[in-house]
Amino acid sequence: MKHELKIWPAYFEAVLSGNKTFEYRYNDRAFSVGDVLLLREYNTYKKEYSGREIEVTVTYILDVFNDYVIFIHT
C-alpha cells in the first residue's frame, strides 16, 4: 500500500540526505512492512507543500504506546 504523508522541511532534508531512516507516527492507516511512503515536504508556516517529495519503503515497524508506531525505511 502507498501512503502520502506530510513532512516538515528539516525532517525532509534529513531523510533526503540519508541521516533520518525512521518515522514516528500515529498508526491511523494500518502501516505494514513493505508499504511505500510518499513523504511530501510541507511548510507549516505557509500551510502549503513545497513540491519536493521522496518515496521510501517501510522495512520494520515497532509498536509503541497509544497507537503510535516507529518504522524504519529505506
Side-chain angles (χ1 to χ4, degrees):
M1 180 171 278
K2 189 173 192 175
H3 305 278
E4 185 175 310
L5 302 172
K6 291 178 182 173
I7 187 168
W8 293 0
Y11 300 128
F12 183 86
E13 285 296 331
V15 171
L16 193 61
S17 71
N19 291 327
K20 182 175 182 287
T21 59
F22 67 94
E23 297 296 320
Y24 174 71
R25 301 284 178 136
Y26 183 67
N27 194 11
D28 59 347
R29 302 173 188 227
F31 295 109
S32 297
V33 170
D35 285 356
V36 173
L37 309 177
L38 175 61
L39 301 175
R40 298 183 63 205
E41 185 180 38
Y42 186 77
N43 186 315
T44 57
Y45 300 107
K46 293 181 179 180
K47 299 188 190 283
E48 64 185 21
Y49 291 99
S50 71
R52 298 193 320 161
E53 55 191 38
I54 187 170
E55 282 191 356
V56 296
T57 302
V58 175
T59 59
Y60 183 82
I61 297 177
L62 174 65
D63 289 317
V64 286
F65 60 94
N66 295 332
D67 297 322
Y68 281 83
V69 293
I70 296 173
F71 39 82
I72 306 299
H73 56 70
T74 58

